[in-house]
Amino acid sequence: MTTDGVLRVRRVRGRLAREGATWSAGNGLEFETVSLPEDECDRLRDLLVAERAACVVEIGLAYASSALAIGEALLTVGAPDARHVIVDPFQDSVWSGAGWSLLCDAGLDAIARLVPAWSSIALPRLLTDGFVADAAFVDGSHRFHEVFVDAYFLRKIVRPGGLIVLDDYWAPPVRTAAAYFERNLGWTALPDAIGGDRCQAFRLPAEAYEPPFRQFEPF
């Protein structure tokens, strides 16, 4: 049965999809350019529900379209310890708190935590604190070295057998960084998990491992 909390999130998601954000960062960072389309948000939500995810880490908040979908999934699963950790150093400075405000409107601040730091700093801290997630959604920097660093730490934070979903997989730096982990560290692409043109989901190996020093597949 649909809970009041899920209905509240859906109302905010519907308003955002119909009206867009009430505030725009400009400079090419408008809602339509930056945000994950509603249909792909729905598929991300459905994937996380099927995964029975109780804890998700997300890189990048912006206008919160994907964060609202993740929050809806967590409430639908209904785990008593549901957690959503969102890393975004620019939510206040670039986005003027637009995404976090929408999450609060949806009541998701009860399970969500915003970490206003670079992911290269925040993720090692989460790992040191023993934080474990069922899945991750990555829509941060698209520079190769920063995508690579995000993936490096997320494979240690997301539980074995969990999911990592990369947004803007069409971008060569994102696709190239992912190729290393797919070819050398056992990530399995799930091309039909979300569909659309933007996202690619990967299943982590069922057991964590490190390859031998001399084992390397060019990517």
Coordinates of all heavy atoms in Angstrom, one line a residue, residues 3-53:
T3 N 2.3 4.7 1.0 CA 2.3 5.4 2.2 C 2.1 6.9 1.9 O 2.3 7.4 0.8 CB 3.6 5.2 3.0 OG1 4.7 5.8 2.2 CG2 3.9 3.7 3.2
D4 N 1.8 7.7 3.0 CA 1.6 9.1 2.8 C 3.0 9.7 2.4 O 3.0 10.7 1.7 CB 1.2 9.7 4.2 CG -0.3 9.3 4.5 OD1 -1.0 8.9 3.5 OD2 -0.7 9.5 5.6
G5 N 4.1 9.2 2.9 CA 5.4 9.7 2.6 C 5.7 9.6 1.1 O 6.2 10.5 0.5
V6 N 5.4 8.4 0.6 CA 5.6 8.2 -0.9 C 4.8 9.2 -1.7 O 5.2 9.7 -2.7 CB 5.4 6.7 -1.2 CG1 5.4 6.6 -2.8 CG2 6.4 5.8 -0.6
L7 N 3.5 9.3 -1.3 CA 2.6 10.2 -2.0 C 3.1 11.7 -2.0 O 3.1 12.4 -3.0 CB 1.2 10.2 -1.4 CG 0.4 8.9 -1.8 CD1 -0.9 8.9 -1.0 CD2 0.1 8.9 -3.3
R8 N 3.7 12.0 -0.8 CA 4.2 13.4 -0.7 C 5.4 13.6 -1.7 O 5.5 14.6 -2.3 CB 4.7 13.6 0.7 CG 5.2 15.0 1.0 CD 5.5 15.2 2.5 NE 6.2 16.5 2.7 CZ 6.6 16.9 4.0 NH1 6.4 16.1 5.0 NH2 7.2 18.0 4.1
V9 N 6.3 12.6 -1.7 CA 7.4 12.7 -2.7 C 6.9 12.7 -4.1 O 7.4 13.5 -4.9 CB 8.4 11.5 -2.5 CG1 9.5 11.5 -3.5 CG2 9.0 11.5 -1.1
R10 N 5.9 11.9 -4.4 CA 5.4 11.9 -5.8 C 4.8 13.3 -6.2 O 4.9 13.7 -7.3 CB 4.4 10.8 -6.0 CG 5.0 9.4 -6.0 CD 4.0 8.3 -6.1 NE 4.6 7.0 -6.1 CZ 3.9 5.9 -6.1 NH1 2.6 5.9 -6.0 NH2 4.6 4.7 -6.1
R11 N 4.2 13.9 -5.3 CA 3.6 15.2 -5.6 C 4.7 16.2 -5.9 O 4.6 17.0 -6.8 CB 2.8 15.7 -4.4 CG 1.4 15.1 -4.3 CD 0.5 15.8 -3.3 NE 1.0 15.8 -1.9 CZ 0.6 14.8 -1.1 NH1 -0.2 13.9 -1.4 NH2 1.1 14.8 0.2
V12 N 5.8 16.2 -5.1 CA 6.9 17.1 -5.4 C 7.6 16.8 -6.7 O 8.0 17.6 -7.5 CB 8.0 17.1 -4.2 CG1 9.2 18.0 -4.5 CG2 7.3 17.6 -2.9
R13 N 7.8 15.5 -6.9 CA 8.4 15.1 -8.2 C 7.5 15.5 -9.4 O 8.1 16.0 -10.4 CB 8.5 13.5 -8.2 CG 9.7 13.0 -7.4 CD 9.9 11.5 -7.8 NE 10.3 11.4 -9.2 CZ 10.1 10.3 -9.9 NH1 9.5 9.3 -9.4 NH2 10.5 10.3 -11.2
G14 N 6.2 15.3 -9.3 CA 5.3 15.7 -10.3 C 5.4 17.2 -10.6 O 5.4 17.7 -11.8
R15 N 5.4 18.0 -9.5 CA 5.5 19.5 -9.7 C 6.8 19.9 -10.4 O 6.8 20.7 -11.3 CB 5.4 20.1 -8.3 CG 5.3 21.7 -8.4 CD 5.1 22.3 -7.0 NE 6.4 22.3 -6.3 CZ 6.5 21.7 -5.1 NH1 5.5 21.1 -4.5 NH2 7.7 21.8 -4.4
L16 N 7.9 19.2 -10.0 CA 9.2 19.5 -10.6 C 9.2 19.2 -12.1 O 9.7 19.9 -12.9 CB 10.3 18.8 -9.8 CG 11.7 19.0 -10.3 CD1 12.1 20.5 -10.1 CD2 12.7 18.1 -9.6
A17 N 8.6 18.0 -12.4 CA 8.6 17.6 -13.8 C 7.7 18.5 -14.7 O 8.1 18.9 -15.8 CB 8.1 16.2 -13.9
R18 N 6.6 19.0 -14.1 CA 5.7 19.9 -14.8 C 6.2 21.3 -15.0 O 6.2 21.9 -16.0 CB 4.3 19.9 -14.2 CG 3.5 18.7 -14.2 CD 2.1 18.9 -13.8 NE 2.1 19.6 -12.4 CZ 2.1 18.9 -11.3 NH1 2.1 17.6 -11.3 NH2 2.0 19.6 -10.1
E19 N 6.8 21.8 -13.9 CA 7.1 23.2 -13.8 C 8.6 23.5 -13.9 O 9.0 24.7 -14.1 CB 6.5 23.8 -12.5 CG 5.0 23.6 -12.4 CD 4.5 24.1 -11.0 OE1 5.3 24.6 -10.2 OE2 3.3 23.8 -10.7
G20 N 9.4 22.5 -13.7 CA 10.8 22.8 -13.6 C 11.2 23.4 -12.3 O 10.3 23.6 -11.4
A21 N 12.4 23.8 -12.2 CA 12.9 24.4 -10.9 C 12.5 25.9 -10.9 O 12.4 26.5 -11.9 CB 14.4 24.3 -10.8
T22 N 12.2 26.4 -9.7 CA 11.8 27.8 -9.6 C 13.0 28.7 -9.6 O 12.8 29.9 -9.7 CB 11.0 28.0 -8.2 OG1 11.9 27.6 -7.2 CG2 9.8 27.1 -8.2
W23 N 14.2 28.1 -9.6 CA 15.4 28.9 -9.7 C 16.4 28.2 -10.6 O 16.4 27.0 -10.7 CB 16.0 29.0 -8.3 CG 17.3 29.8 -8.2 CD1 17.5 31.1 -8.0 CD2 18.6 29.2 -8.4 NE1 18.8 31.4 -8.1 CE2 19.5 30.3 -8.3 CE3 19.1 28.0 -8.6 CZ2 20.9 30.1 -8.4 CZ3 20.5 27.8 -8.7 CH2 21.3 28.9 -8.6
S24 N 17.1 29.0 -11.4 CA 18.1 28.4 -12.3 C 19.5 29.0 -12.1 O 19.6 30.2 -11.9 CB 17.6 28.7 -13.8 OG 18.6 28.3 -14.7
A25 N 20.5 28.1 -12.1 CA 21.8 28.6 -12.0 C 22.3 29.3 -13.2 O 23.3 30.1 -13.2 CB 22.7 27.4 -11.7
G26 N 21.7 29.1 -14.4 CA 22.1 29.7 -15.6 C 23.4 29.2 -16.1 O 23.9 28.1 -15.7
N27 N 24.0 29.8 -17.1 CA 25.3 29.4 -17.6 C 25.3 28.0 -18.1 O 26.3 27.2 -17.9 CB 26.5 29.6 -16.6 CG 26.6 31.1 -16.2 OD1 26.5 32.0 -17.0 ND2 26.8 31.3 -14.9
G28 N 24.2 27.6 -18.7 CA 24.1 26.2 -19.2 C 23.7 25.2 -18.2 O 23.7 24.0 -18.5
L29 N 23.4 25.6 -17.0 CA 23.1 24.7 -15.9 C 21.6 24.7 -15.6 O 21.2 24.5 -14.4 CB 23.9 25.1 -14.6 CG 25.4 25.0 -14.8 CD1 26.1 25.4 -13.5 CD2 25.9 23.6 -15.1
E30 N 20.8 25.0 -16.6 CA 19.4 25.0 -16.4 C 18.8 23.7 -16.0 O 19.5 22.6 -16.3 CB 18.7 25.6 -17.6 CG 18.9 27.1 -17.9 CD 20.3 27.3 -18.6 OE1 20.9 26.3 -18.9 OE2 20.7 28.5 -18.7
F31 N 17.6 23.6 -15.5 CA 17.0 22.4 -15.0 C 17.0 21.4 -16.2 O 17.3 20.2 -16.0 CB 15.6 22.7 -14.5 CG 14.8 21.4 -14.2 CD1 15.1 20.7 -13.1 CD2 13.8 21.0 -15.1 CE1 14.3 19.6 -12.8 CE2 13.1 19.8 -14.8 CZ 13.4 19.1 -13.6
E32 N 16.5 21.8 -17.3 CA 16.4 20.8 -18.4 C 17.7 20.2 -18.9 O 17.8 19.1 -19.3 CB 15.7 21.5 -19.6 CG 14.3 21.9 -19.4 CD 14.2 23.2 -18.6 OE1 15.2 23.9 -18.4 OE2 13.0 23.6 -18.2
T33 N 18.8 20.9 -18.7 CA 20.1 20.5 -19.1 C 20.7 19.5 -18.1 O 21.3 18.5 -18.5 CB 21.1 21.7 -19.3 OG1 20.5 22.6 -20.3 CG2 22.4 21.2 -19.8
V34 N 20.5 19.9 -16.9 CA 21.3 19.2 -15.8 C 20.5 18.0 -15.3 O 21.1 16.9 -15.0 CB 21.6 20.2 -14.6 CG1 22.1 19.5 -13.4 CG2 22.5 21.3 -15.1
S35 N 19.2 18.1 -15.1 CA 18.4 17.1 -14.4 C 18.2 15.8 -15.2 O 18.0 15.8 -16.4 CB 17.1 17.7 -13.9 OG 17.3 18.7 -13.1
L36 N 18.1 14.7 -14.5 CA 17.8 13.4 -15.1 C 16.3 13.4 -15.5 O 15.5 13.8 -14.7 CB 18.0 12.3 -14.1 CG 17.9 10.8 -14.6 CD1 19.1 10.6 -15.6 CD2 18.0 9.8 -13.4
P37 N 16.0 13.1 -16.7 CA 14.6 13.1 -17.2 C 13.7 12.3 -16.3 O 14.1 11.3 -15.7 CB 14.7 12.6 -18.6 CG 16.1 12.9 -19.1 CD 16.9 12.7 -17.8
E38 N 12.4 12.6 -16.3 CA 11.5 12.0 -15.3 C 11.4 10.5 -15.6 O 11.3 9.7 -14.7 CB 10.1 12.6 -15.5 CG 9.1 12.1 -14.5 CD 7.7 12.7 -14.6 OE1 7.4 13.3 -15.6 OE2 6.9 12.6 -13.6
D39 N 11.3 10.1 -16.9 CA 11.2 8.6 -17.2 C 12.4 7.8 -16.7 O 12.3 6.7 -16.2 CB 10.9 8.4 -18.6 CG 12.0 8.9 -19.6 OD1 12.8 9.8 -19.1 OD2 12.1 8.5 -20.7
E40 N 13.6 8.4 -16.8 CA 14.8 7.7 -16.3 C 14.8 7.7 -14.8 O 15.3 6.8 -14.2 CB 16.0 8.3 -17.0 CG 16.1 8.0 -18.5 CD 17.5 8.3 -19.0 OE1 18.5 7.7 -18.5 OE2 17.6 9.0 -20.0
C41 N 14.3 8.8 -14.2 CA 14.2 8.8 -12.7 C 13.2 7.7 -12.3 O 13.5 7.0 -11.3 CB 13.6 10.2 -12.3 SG 14.8 11.5 -12.3
D42 N 12.2 7.5 -13.0 CA 11.2 6.4 -12.7 C 11.9 5.0 -12.7 O 11.8 4.2 -11.9 CB 10.0 6.4 -13.6 CG 9.1 7.5 -13.4 OD1 9.1 8.1 -12.3 OD2 8.3 7.8 -14.3
R43 N 12.8 4.9 -13.8 CA 13.5 3.6 -13.9 C 14.5 3.4 -12.9 O 14.8 2.3 -12.4 CB 14.0 3.4 -15.3 CG 12.9 3.3 -16.4 CD 13.5 2.8 -17.7 NE 14.2 3.9 -18.4 CZ 13.7 4.7 -19.3 NH1 12.4 4.6 -19.5 NH2 14.4 5.7 -19.9
L44 N 15.2 4.5 -12.5 CA 16.1 4.4 -11.4 C 15.4 4.0 -10.1 O 15.9 3.2 -9.3 CB 16.8 5.8 -11.2 CG 17.8 6.0 -10.0 CD1 18.9 5.0 -10.1 CD2 18.3 7.4 -9.9
R45 N 14.3 4.7 -9.8 CA 13.5 4.3 -8.6 C 13.1 2.8 -8.7 O 13.3 2.1 -7.7 CB 12.2 5.2 -8.6 CG 11.2 4.8 -7.6 CD 9.8 5.2 -7.9 NE 9.4 4.6 -9.2 CZ 8.4 5.1 -10.0 NH1 7.8 6.3 -9.6 NH2 8.0 4.5 -11.1
D46 N 12.6 2.4 -9.8 CA 12.2 1.0 -9.9 C 13.4 0.0 -9.7 O 13.2 -1.1 -9.1 CB 11.5 0.7 -11.2 CG 10.2 1.5 -11.4 OD1 9.7 2.0 -10.4 OD2 9.7 1.6 -12.5
L47 N 14.5 0.3 -10.2 CA 15.7 -0.5 -10.1 C 16.1 -0.6 -8.6 O 16.4 -1.7 -8.1 CB 16.9 0.1 -10.9 CG 18.2 -0.6 -10.7 CD1 18.1 -2.0 -11.3 CD2 19.3 0.2 -11.5
L48 N 16.0 0.5 -7.9 CA 16.4 0.5 -6.4 C 15.4 -0.2 -5.6 O 15.7 -0.9 -4.6 CB 16.6 1.9 -5.9 CG 17.8 2.7 -6.6 CD1 17.8 4.1 -6.1 CD2 19.1 2.0 -6.2
V49 N 14.1 -0.1 -6.0 CA 13.1 -0.9 -5.3 C 13.3 -2.4 -5.5 O 13.2 -3.2 -4.6 CB 11.7 -0.4 -5.8 CG1 10.6 -1.4 -5.2 CG2 11.4 1.0 -5.3
A50 N 13.5 -2.8 -6.8 CA 13.8 -4.2 -7.0 C 15.0 -4.7 -6.3 O 15.0 -5.9 -5.9 CB 14.0 -4.4 -8.6
E51 N 15.9 -3.8 -6.1 CA 17.2 -4.2 -5.3 C 16.9 -4.2 -3.8 O 17.7 -4.7 -3.1 CB 18.2 -3.1 -5.6 CG 19.6 -3.5 -5.2 CD 20.2 -4.5 -6.1 OE1 19.6 -4.9 -7.2 OE2 21.3 -5.0 -5.8
R52 N 15.8 -3.7 -3.4 CA 15.4 -3.6 -2.0 C 16.5 -2.8 -1.2 O 16.9 -3.1 -0.1 CB 15.3 -5.0 -1.3 CG 14.3 -5.9 -2.0 CD 12.9 -5.4 -2.0 NE 12.3 -5.2 -0.7 CZ 11.2 -4.6 -0.5 NH1 10.5 -4.0 -1.5 NH2 10.7 -4.4 0.8
A53 N 16.9 -1.7 -1.9 CA 18.0 -0.9 -1.3 C 17.4 -0.1 -0.1 O 16.3 0.4 -0.1 CB 18.4 0.1 -2.4

